[in-house]
């Protein structure tokens, strides 16, 4: 009886998810295996050309470049976020929730607006240029907006709070006496960090870094706004296939590769997490 | 911290991180009140850009669309998501398939869901507009509502349901009088979260809105505006949107505290 | 011979709390030294200052005559066994034990040999490859001990080493610790709030009270001749009879006199103290009469609670199993007696 009631309650939502998520996603993945029609439509003949095209030097290069940028973003955000979380944890206990809240607060404001803030900061008449001028640095500064650097800064800015949050939890839960035990046994501060603190909090850091990578590699808003019209990443490429070039099958193939990379990373991250806790089981 | 060198490093890191996080926002908010509207010079405090916003029909129309989408998708998602949460927790056995299905909308990249829905709607020749945005937003919103309500139900003692029927209450009475009041704060919190997410959502709305101005939402409007650079009006709009998010967050916090306190 | 550890007038404050308040102690080479005190009396704080995790606000700490007050913990030849054990969860038993030797940059072969030898000593060799969460409480305790001991510190500090174990295991481990200490010949400083444990294990005991030293001595001295009323109360069981001190004794409220051997310096309001096992049935140099109110059988002995007109609290005495055969029943009137030399007098 309980299970029948349960099925009745779940049915509408599951139907919604099936109809508007599973079917469309399956459809778009299937599109990757068909030809592009002459006038933007779809020609229903099976082909692997689209997937091959993804790894063609031109598009493969964009894919690699996206991965490189996302990797850099994940690395910077991981280092800065971990350092920030570490700094928060080393403040007195009653300060920590306040600091954490402040660190995560920007995450709650609109993504477009957070990205826009960097346009305000980096444009030709932006604050950084003004500040440089005020400091007496005359002459033209190098272009800052519409560069790869701007995209990286924007992505780090967008996702840093996430990493801080992911690192804070394990750091604050780590018993203080473990680090003390290491010091007591002769470990320096750095050795203690490298051999005790870092390995025990690595799963949190891995979660943070992987999510930042995944969110960055397929990102479309930030490269479009901070990278300028010519700047291409996988996200902007997918966007272009669907909304301007009209090559849906190729766009679908790109999305498929993106999903595959994402899945792989999430699995790897789960693996790190399990290894980090040493497959903890009660004796 | 016995070592004051390490203590100073910690303060330095905190200062740098908070500067990085807040300077861009602060500049934006500051500029929105600058009479000249330009970053080149501060010409005095003014709210003229806010006034200009209120005259801008396009922005007001987009804001109206956003509220419609958010309200509709939140209403549907809250209903479906709550039922789903109760249904899942009621089941005696966990099904990995169902868990994955519920978790998926939270981790699928927006761009993938966006193109999937675009292809789906166009291949089925479903005309797109505000209604398709609503349908799309319900997908992720119901997942979030479900997650929030489930968190509350985890600690729910099902034996009180049995106790209620044992005391002679019908099934419907039991649900209305016993279960709903316990999970009501979580439902409201979930709805608030869904509303906020929907108001902020850009990419999926962008792909499922169809052509024409009629179904432009506020984030789409903001995107269109900021692609053409910095204007004082966007500064004001951005400040307003951030202020609204802050209020929503504060509300959710209060609610959460009340839930936990109960 | 110079003591290994000398603590000179050490003070440590936390805000308005003075956790350790002017403690001076000398601890001899090879001692098994127990720090005993109620919860919050500053035992852990004192130990953490010896280990280097807290800096004294005043005073200094010497190790083998050298001032180590400001030496960081990783440079002190002193090791601490944590109350929580603090085993590294991501390392095996062997890796945990090897950690301290790796910090000394010992050659691999030496590390392997010493770890194996140490695990053998604490009987954990078969579990060398396990992780801490796959061990029982007693096994974890031994890993923590092995990890600290393998470094052959000048002094091993142990913070409630047996606190997390159940009563039976505790008893075993008390003897085990004592055997180990004898075997390795390292000075042990053990914190405990269990007085029985201190009496069983230690060859010297220091009693701390609110950050100050109350008494230092051998278990026998502390038990037989407590220096203060607090020490007398804290170690073992004690009967207290309030009254008025006189030369050579104490006048009870009901007019009776309690005699003391030797002349106490005490005057005015005072208490006479006598251990339950020193009281016998029948008259003695000091005598009280009263009614038996309760009997409690404790395995080896029988405890009697006797209500007397001399004190508000009932007087407790312990009869050995032999005497218990002829013990009085509840409600019977009895006469209690004990010797003057078993009586002590403290200011009230
Ligand atoms: N880091 C600290 N900050 C503030 N107060 C502290 C700190 N450490 C200890 N104290 C205080 O100092 C006093 C002594 O504490 P300590 O831990 O040394 O007691 P203890 O004798 O070990 O007690 P227990 O038997 O409960 O372990 C207590 O009042 C405690 O609250
Ligand atoms: Mg303690």
């Amino acid at each position: 009886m309980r299970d029948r009631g349960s099925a009745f309650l779940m049915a509408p939502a599951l139907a919604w998810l099936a109809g508007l998520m599973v079917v469309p996603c399956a459809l778009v993945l299937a599109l990757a295996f068909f030809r592009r029609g002459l006038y933007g439509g779809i020609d229903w003949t099976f082909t692997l050309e689209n997937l091959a095209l993804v790894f063609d030097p031109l598009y493969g290069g964009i894919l690699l470049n996206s991965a490189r940028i996302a990797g850099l973003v994940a690395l910077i955000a991981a280092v800065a976020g971990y350092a920030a979380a570490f700094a928060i944890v080393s403040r007195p206990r009653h300060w920590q929730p306040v600091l954490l809240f402040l660190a995560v607060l920007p995450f709650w404001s609109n993504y477009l607006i957070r990205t826009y803030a960097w346009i305000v900061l980096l444009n030709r008449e932006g604050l950084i240029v003004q500040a440089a001028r005020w400091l007496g640095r005359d002459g033209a500064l190098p272009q800052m907006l519409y560069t790869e650097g701007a995209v990286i800064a924007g992505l780090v800015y967008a996702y840093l709070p996430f990493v801080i949050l992911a690192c804070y939890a394990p750091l604050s839960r780590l018993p203080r006496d473990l680090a003390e035990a290491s010091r007591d046994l002769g470990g320096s501060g750095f050795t203690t960090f490298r051999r005790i603190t870092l390995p025990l909090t690595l799963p949190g850091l891995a979660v943070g870094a992987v999510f930042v990578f995944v969110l960055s590699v397929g990102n479309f808003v930030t490269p479009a706004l901070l990278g300028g019209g010519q700047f291409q990443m996988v996200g902007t490429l997918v966007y272009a296939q669907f909304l301007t070039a009209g090559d849906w099958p190729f766009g679908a193939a790109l999305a498929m590769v993106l999903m595959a990379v994402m899945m792989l990373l999430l699995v790897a991250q789960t693996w790190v997490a399990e290894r980090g806790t040493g497959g903890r089981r009660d004796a | 911290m016995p070592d004051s060198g390490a203590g100073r490093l910690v303060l330095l890191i905190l200062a740098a991180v908070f500067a990085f996080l807040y300077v861009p926002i602060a500049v934006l908010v500051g500029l929105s009140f600058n009479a000249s509207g330009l970053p080149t010079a501060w010409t005095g405090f003014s709210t003229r850009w806010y006034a200009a916003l209120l005259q801008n029909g396009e922005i007001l129309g987009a804001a109206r669309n956003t509220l419609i989408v958010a309200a509709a998708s939140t209403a549907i998602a809250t209903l479906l998501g709550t039922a789903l949460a109760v249904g899942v927790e009621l089941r005696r056995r966990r099904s990995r398939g169902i868990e994955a299905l519920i978790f998926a909308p939270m981790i699928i990249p927006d761009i993938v869901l966006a193109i999937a829905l675009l292809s789906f709607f166009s291949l089925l020749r479903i005309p797109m507009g505000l209604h398709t945005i609503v349908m799309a937003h319900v997908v992720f919103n119901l997942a979030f509502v479900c997650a929030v309500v489930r968190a509350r139900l985890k600690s729910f003692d099902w034996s009180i349901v049995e106790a209620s029927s044992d005391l002679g209450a019908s099934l419907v009475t039991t649900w209305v009088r016993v279960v709903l009041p316990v999970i009501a704060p979580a439902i409201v919190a979930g709805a608030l979260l869904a509303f906020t997410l929907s108001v902020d959502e850009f990419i999926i709305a962008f792909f499922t809105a169809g052509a024409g101005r009629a179904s432009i939402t506020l984030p789409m409007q903001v995107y269109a505006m900021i692609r053409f650079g910095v204007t004082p009006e966007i500064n004001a709009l951005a400040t307003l949107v951030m202020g609204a998010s802050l209020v929503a967050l504060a509300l959710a916090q209060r609610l959460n505290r009340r839930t936990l306190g109960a | 011979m110079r003591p290994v550890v000398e603590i000179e007038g050490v003070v440590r404050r936390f805000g308005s709390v003075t956790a350790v308040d002017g403690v001076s102690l000398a601890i001899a080479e090879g001692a098994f030294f127990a720090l005993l005190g109620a919860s919050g009396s500053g035992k852990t704080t004192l130990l953490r200052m010896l280990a280097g995790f807290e800096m004294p606000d005043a005073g200094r700490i010497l190790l083998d005559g050298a001032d180590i007050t400001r030496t960081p913990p990783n440079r002190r030849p002193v090791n601490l066994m944590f109350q929580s054990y603090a085993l590294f969860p991501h390392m095996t038993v062997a890796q945990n034990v090897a950690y301290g030797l790796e910090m000394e940059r010992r050659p691999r072969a030496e590390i392997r040999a010493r770890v194996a030898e140490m695990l053998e000593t604490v009987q954990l060799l078969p579990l060398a490859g396990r992780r801490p969460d796959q061990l029982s409480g007693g096994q974890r305790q031994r890993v923590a001990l092995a990890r600290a001991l393998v470094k052959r510190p000048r002094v091993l500090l142990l913070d409630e080493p047996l606190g997390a174990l159940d009563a039976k295991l505790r008893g075993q481990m008390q003897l085990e610790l004592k055997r180990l200490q004898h075997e390795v010949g390292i000075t042990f400083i053990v914190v405990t709030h269990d007085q029985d444990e201190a009496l069983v294990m230690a060859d010297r005991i220091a009693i701390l009270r609110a950050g100050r030293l109350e008494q230092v001595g051998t278990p026998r001295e502390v038990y037989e001749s407590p220096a203060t009323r607090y020490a007398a109360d804290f170690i073992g069981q004690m009967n207290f009879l309030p009254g008025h001190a006189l030369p050579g004794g104490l006048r009870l409220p009901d007019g009776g006199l309690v005699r003391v051997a030797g002349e106490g310096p005490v005057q005015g309001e005072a208490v006479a103290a006598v251990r339950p096992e020193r009281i016998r049935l029948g008259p003695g140099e000091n005598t009280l009469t009263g009614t038996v109110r309760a009997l409690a059988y404790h395995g080896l002995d029988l405890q009697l609670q006797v209500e007397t007109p001399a004190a508000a609290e009932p007087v407790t005495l312990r009869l050995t199993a032999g005497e218990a055969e002829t013990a009085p029943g509840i409600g019977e009137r009895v006469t209690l007696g004990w010797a003057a030399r078993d009586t002590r007098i403290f200011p009230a």
Side-chain angles (χ1 to χ4, degrees):
Chain A
M1 208 223 82
R2 224 169 113 172
D3 283 352
R4 187 123 55 82
S6 145
F8 177 74
L9 286 167
M10 294 191 299
L14 293 182
W16 198 287
L17 290 179
L20 287 162
M21 180 182 73
V22 178
V23 170
C25 285
L27 178 73
V28 84
L29 293 186
L31 281 186
F33 296 101
F34 294 101
R35 275 220 175 94
R36 156 186 202 183
L38 221 44
Y39 303 103
I42 289 152
D43 171 4
W44 298 101
T45 29
F46 180 84
T47 178
L48 288 173
E49 278 167 22
N50 298 308
L51 280 172
L53 194 59
V54 171
F55 298 104
D56 150 290
L58 172 62
Y59 296 115
I62 293 178
L63 208 67
L64 282 182
N65 202 38
S66 307
R68 184 180 57 82
I69 290 175
L72 263 174
V73 169
L75 185 73
I76 297 170
V79 172
Y82 192 89
F86 195 88
I88 292 177
V89 171
S90 56
R91 300 307 300 158
R93 252 196 194 279
H94 55 277
W95 275 104
Q96 293 180 18
V98 181
L99 290 171
L100 190 67
F101 177 77
L102 284 178
V104 180
L105 189 60
F107 206 52
W108 281 96
S109 64
N110 185 287
Y111 188 93
L112 288 170
I113 287 171
R114 277 184 289 153
T115 311
Y116 170 68
W118 282 85
I119 301 183
V120 174
L121 218 56
L122 295 180
N123 74 61
R124 275 183 199 293
E125 286 304 315
L127 204 82
I128 293 183
V129 174
Q130 305 280 339
R133 241 179 242 152
W134 186 75
L135 286 172
R137 205 195 134 156
D138 275 331
L141 277 155
Q143 165 89 21
M144 283 181 295
L145 190 57
Y146 308 133
T147 61
E148 183 181 301
V151 174
I152 291 173
L155 288 171
V156 169
Y157 183 70
Y159 299 128
L160 184 62
F162 183 74
V163 183
I164 297 178
L165 200 62
C167 294
Y168 175 81
L171 274 171
S172 70
R173 251 185 284 127
L174 191 70
R176 195 158 284 214
D177 58 11
L178 291 183
E180 284 185 351
S182 165
R183 300 280 289 176
D184 185 69
L185 293 167
S188 65
F190 180 70
T191 306
T192 299
F193 175 76
R194 190 172 58 83
R195 296 210 40 193
I196 309 297
T197 313
L198 188 60
L200 286 171
T201 50
L202 204 56
L205 186 61
V207 170
V210 164
F211 271 82
V212 170
F213 183 89
V214 166
L215 290 167
S216 299
V217 78
N219 201 294
F220 145 68
V221 171
T222 303
L225 289 178
L226 299 181
Q230 306 308 311
F231 194 86
Q232 291 282 20
M233 278 178 68
V234 188
T236 52
L237 209 54
V238 173
Y239 165 86
Q241 302 317 309
F242 276 85
L243 294 186
T244 57
D247 190 349
W248 290 15
F250 180 50
L254 284 169
M256 194 168 180
V257 172
L258 194 64
M259 289 284 284
V261 169
M262 198 191 87
M263 294 292 193
L264 217 69
L265 276 171
L266 289 178
V267 168
Q269 176 257 307
T270 315
W271 182 75
V272 168
E274 261 158 31
R275 214 183 54 130
T277 52
R280 194 161 296 183
R281 227 168 291 121
D282 277 340
Chain B
M1 290 271 114
D3 188 352
S4 75
R8 222 168 301 144
L9 185 64
V10 159
L11 289 180
L12 204 71
I13 292 173
L14 282 177
V17 166
F18 281 111
F20 177 69
L21 288 175
Y22 282 96
V23 165
I25 293 178
V27 168
L28 180 58
V29 172
L31 279 183
S32 78
F33 292 107
N34 188 1
S36 78
L38 298 172
T40 19
W42 179 257
T43 53
F45 180 89
S46 153
T47 52
R48 61 185 273 220
W49 304 114
Y50 292 86
L53 270 188
L54 294 179
Q55 308 293 316
N56 188 326
E58 289 189 351
I59 291 178
L60 291 182
R64 208 201 51 177
N65 282 344
T66 293
L67 290 182
I68 293 172
V69 167
S73 71
T74 299
I76 302 173
T78 304
L79 216 65
L80 296 188
T82 304
L84 178 61
V86 173
V88 170
E89 290 300 314
L90 205 58
R91 269 174 74 93
R92 275 172 241 268
R93 261 179 309 144
R94 295 264 161 273
S95 142
R96 294 194 76 147
I98 292 179
E99 297 291 331
L101 199 59
I102 300 175
F103 193 53
M106 299 199 253
I107 59 160
I108 291 183
D110 310 349
I111 185 100
V112 173
L113 193 57
I115 59 168
L117 285 163
L118 171 64
S119 323
F120 179 72
F121 290 137
S122 18
L123 287 175
L124 293 186
R125 303 199 190 290
I126 297 173
M128 287 184 271
L130 286 184
H131 59 286
T132 40
I133 305 180
V134 171
M135 287 160 86
H137 278 194
V138 169
V139 170
F140 60 83
N141 272 346
L142 82 80
F144 281 98
V145 171
C146 175
V148 174
V149 176
R150 274 181 81 179
R152 179 84 184 97
L153 282 172
K154 282 264 182 286
S155 57
F156 184 77
D157 178 8
W158 288 103
S159 67
I160 69 172
V161 172
E162 283 157 16
S164 168
S165 2
D166 183 60
L167 294 171
S170 76
L171 204 61
V172 175
T173 316
T174 300
W175 279 92
V176 173
R177 299 269 316 265
V178 177
V179 183
L180 267 184
V182 175
I183 61 174
I187 298 175
V188 178
L192 208 60
L193 177 65
F195 193 85
T196 318
L197 289 173
S198 183
V199 165
D200 274 351
E201 206 286 323
F202 164 62
I203 296 173
I204 295 172
F206 191 59
F207 277 78
T208 54
R213 280 215 49 92
S215 47
I216 278 190
T217 63
L218 199 54
M220 289 162 70
Q221 176 72 28
V222 170
Y223 182 74
M225 286 166 76
I226 59 187
R227 270 173 65 102
F228 297 108
V230 180
T231 73
E233 274 183 37
I234 315 175
N235 296 341
L237 180 59
T239 304
L240 278 184
V241 172
M242 281 194 292
S245 310
L246 211 61
V247 171
L249 181 65
L251 222 65
Q253 286 282 49
R254 266 185 80 109
L255 218 70
N256 231 343
R257 201 164 316 138
R258 201 132 26 101
T259 320
L260 295 178
Chain C
M1 199 175 67
R2 178 146 207 165
V4 204
V5 176
E6 291 160 273
I7 301 171
E8 297 178 351
V10 159
V11 175
R12 178 72 174 111
R13 298 187 194 88
F14 295 106
S16 59
V17 181
T18 305
V20 173
D21 192 3
V23 168
S24 297
L25 268 177
I27 295 166
E29 175 95 56
F32 197 125
F33 195 96
L35 280 171
L36 192 56
S39 188
S41 55
K43 308 179 295 288
T44 297
T45 307
L46 187 56
L47 213 61
R48 285 173 60 83
M49 286 193 285
L50 290 172
F53 293 118
E54 302 281 355
M55 291 293 142
D57 294 315
R60 37 178 223 156
I61 297 170
L62 307 183
L63 187 78
D64 291 319
D67 189 338
I68 57 158
T69 316
R70 306 265 151 215
T71 310
N74 50 331
R75 304 253 175 75
R76 296 187 186 201
V78 165
N79 286 117
L80 173 62
M81 189 188 134
F82 287 74
Q83 194 163 359
S84 57
Y85 307 151
L87 299 180
F88 305 132
H90 57 311
M91 297 184 190
T92 62
V93 167
Q95 286 167 339
N96 263 283
V97 176
Y99 189 85
L101 296 176
E102 286 167 15
M103 295 301 117
E104 294 175 8
R105 304 194 185 287
R106 299 274 170 194
R108 284 258 179 89
E110 182 192 336
I111 294 181
R112 207 170 314 132
R114 277 172 69 176
V115 168
E117 186 194 356
M118 195 67 232
L119 289 179
E120 181 75 61
T121 313
V122 295
Q123 295 157 12
L124 280 177
L125 205 47
L127 305 182
R130 293 230 194 142
R131 286 182 195 270
D133 53 10
Q134 300 167 322
L135 300 176
S136 73
Q139 290 164 344
R140 277 181 221 176
Q141 189 263 356
R142 278 182 284 156
V143 178
L145 190 63
R147 188 176 71 175
L149 269 183
V150 77
K151 290 189 55 119
R152 298 181 189 146
R154 289 291 290 140
V155 179
L156 180 69
L157 311 170
L158 303 98
D159 193 353
E160 311 233 1
L162 310 177
L165 306 181
D166 63 53
K168 185 148 179 246
L169 197 53
R170 261 176 107 108
Q172 283 171 18
M173 291 308 298
Q174 285 169 3
L175 298 177
E176 179 75 14
L177 265 185
K178 199 144 171 75
R179 174 185 74 79
L180 258 175
Q181 195 251 349
H182 191 75
E183 209 171 295
V184 295
I186 290 173
T187 309
F188 275 29
I189 303 180
V190 180
V191 157
T192 171
H193 58 235
D194 180 339
Q195 37 114 353
D196 282 331
E197 196 163 290
L199 292 176
V200 171
M201 294 196 296
D203 44 38
R204 276 182 91 71
I205 294 177
I207 300 173
L208 269 175
R209 177 191 185 190
R212 291 171 171 278
L213 271 187
E214 198 81 0
Q215 185 174 9
V216 185
T218 63
R220 196 177 181 81
E221 281 164 3
V222 174
Y223 189 83
E224 301 289 349
S225 349
T228 64
R229 179 177 175 178
Y230 181 83
D233 197 16
F234 198 77
I235 302 270
Q237 254 183 315
M238 189 68 98
N239 291 299
F240 291 107
L241 303 169
H244 198 84
L246 306 168
L250 175 130
R251 175 77 58 202
L252 294 171
D254 66 345
L257 182 73
V258 178
R259 268 179 275 273
V260 194
E263 214 159 321
V266 181
Q267 289 186 346
E269 294 306 304
V271 287
V274 58
R275 298 260 180 222
E277 67 274 16
R278 298 290 180 193
I279 305 178
R280 291 283 154 267
L281 289 174
E285 282 174 276
N286 291 311
T287 303
L288 285 176
T289 53
T291 313
V292 178
R293 282 294 170 225
L295 290 170
Y297 181 60
H298 279 271
L300 280 180
D301 59 14
L302 180 74
Q303 289 203 3
L304 245 58
Q305 304 263 325
V306 179
E307 193 177 278
T308 65
E313 295 283 308
V315 172
T316 305
L317 68 151
R318 272 156 112 168
L319 302 182
T320 56
E323 297 168 301
E325 308 262 312
T326 56
I330 290 180
E332 263 181 65
R333 284 196 68 76
V334 289
T335 305
L336 310 176
W338 69 93
R341 68 180 143 75
D342 291 332
T343 315
R344 304 193 54 83
I345 292 197
F346 303 108

